[in-house]
Structures are given as structure tokens and as C-alpha cells.
Amino acid sequence: MLMTDYLLVDDDEAFVRVLRRALERRGHRVAHAHDADGALAAMADAPHARVVLDLNLAGDSGLRLLPRLLEVAPGASIVVLTGYASIATAVEATKLGAVQYLAKPADVAAIVAAFGREAADPELAVTAPPMSLKRMGWEHLQRVLAEHGGNISETARALGMHRRTLQRMLAKRPVAQ
């Protein structure tokens, strides 16, 4: 069975096209899938050494897909890449078996380097500035959402708010920190 260097799992076709070209220019073989079923089929056909997995796959959570990918290919290294980064989802991704978690935008060099840094780095610098109040609130929403398996309606009920209000709050992702 042929081992493909990378499997890109992301529903953003433009992003996949750009990342695929950049990886291929570096000499890597690349396959892609735009949803969970496609990713599982690609892994079953030919196990991939490295998987770049988007956290948000057309409204579905990449966190649900992560353990299923590892069941099909236990030796795969998975890096979760997301435009919706949060502490809660980073912790869950690593608990589920991701080797790294990167926030978009991440360049190709950072993505390739993430697969080389599978061990923890005790020398990693600690950031000094505290999180803003808006960011802390958003992180809390992400944690409660993760506790309810990504279900917006259940999360809204748990927080005592209307579902549409929660959706609007989640869409207003605060800037860094």
C-alpha cells in the first residue's frame, strides 16, 4: 500500500488548493477530502502518515472525526488547524490524539514544522498579557459547546440563552488573547 505524505481534510476548497500546491512544491504527495466520509474513505484506501484536519467541517466538528481517523490508521500524526482556535478545543484535540493544534492563518512552514514537534516543549515561552474579558467569555462558550458535543441547541439550553443569540456570540470571535 502506498503511503501518501499528507491528507488535507478541510471544507474550504480554496485553502485546500493553496496548501496542496505549496506542499507538492516541497516534494510531498498530497490527498484531500472535504468531509468526514471522504476522509475516512481516503484513510481506508491508503493510510496517510500526516493529516491536517480542520476543526470546523461545514458545521461538523473535526474533533468527532479525529479518533475515527486514528482507528483506521493508528500510526498517523494529526495536526488540527482551525480558524476558531480556543483553549478548550486545543485541549480536547490533544486528548483525542492530535500531535499539534494550530490557529489559522498558518503558513506551510509552520504546518510542516508542527509534524516535527510531536513532543512537548518545556522551553515554550509563556505569554505575559492576560486574556481580555471578551476572549474569556468566548473561551467559556467554546468549553460549554465542547461539553455538549458541539450541539448549539443543547449548549444554549445549558447557558440559559436563545440558540440564535449563542450563534451570534460564537460568530463574533475576539481578536488574539
Side-chain angles (χ1 to χ4, degrees), residues 1 13-14 34 37 45 57 61 66 107 116 151-152 159 164 176:
M1 226 183 302
E13 292 183 32
H34 296 294
D37 292 336
D45 289 345
L57 295 170
S61 174
L66 201 155
D107 62 15
N151 186 307
I152 298 285
L159 292 170
R164 304 260 309 183

Side-chain angles (χ1 to χ4, degrees), residues 90-137:
V91 169
E92 288 304 311
T94 53
K95 282 181 182 179
L96 291 169
V99 296
Q100 289 290 333
Y101 181 96
L102 299 174
K104 288 180 183 176
D107 62 15
V108 178
I111 293 168
V112 171
F115 287 101
R117 290 191 50 230
E118 293 185 15
D121 181 6
E123 301 302 319
L124 188 62
V126 177
T127 56
M131 261 192 256
S132 69
L133 187 56
K134 285 182 181 181
R135 181 65 184 205
M136 287 176 63

Side-chain angles (χ1 to χ4, degrees), residues 2 9 22 41-42 54 58 65 72 88 91 104 108 111 126 162:
L2 193 65
V9 184
D54 188 21
L65 177 58
V72 175
V91 169
K104 288 180 183 176
V108 178
I111 293 168
V126 177
H162 192 273

Side-chain angles (χ1 to χ4, degrees), residues 25-173:
R25 270 185 258 139
R26 291 174 177 242
H28 299 288
R29 291 176 304 216
V30 182
H32 70 277
H34 296 294
D35 57 21
D37 292 336
L40 291 168
M43 280 300 244
D45 289 345
H48 303 280
R50 300 175 194 111
V51 179
V52 178
L53 176 61
D54 188 21
L55 183 65
N56 185 4
L57 295 170
D60 194 15
S61 174
L63 292 179
R64 282 195 278 274
L65 177 58
L66 201 155
R68 294 169 57 198
L69 288 170
L70 288 172
E71 282 177 22
V72 175
S77 294
I78 299 176
V79 169
V80 173
L81 184 64
T82 183
Y84 303 94
S86 74
I87 293 169
T89 55
V91 169
E92 288 304 311
T94 53
K95 282 181 182 179
L96 291 169
V99 296
Q100 289 290 333
Y101 181 96
L102 299 174
K104 288 180 183 176
D107 62 15
V108 178
I111 293 168
V112 171
F115 287 101
R117 290 191 50 230
E118 293 185 15
D121 181 6
E123 301 302 319
L124 188 62
V126 177
T127 56
M131 261 192 256
S132 69
L133 187 56
K134 285 182 181 181
R135 181 65 184 205
M136 287 176 63
W138 194 79
E139 293 283 346
H140 175 69
L141 292 177
Q142 291 296 316
R143 188 178 67 251
V144 176
L145 184 63
E147 288 170 1
H148 290 90
N151 186 307
I152 298 285
S153 296
E154 287 180 23
T155 302
R157 275 192 292 279
L159 292 170
M161 64 175 51
H162 192 273
R163 178 183 55 80
R164 304 260 309 183
T165 302
L166 175 60
Q167 287 174 315
R168 281 192 292 274
M169 291 173 77
L170 290 170
K172 292 180 184 178
R173 183 173 168 259

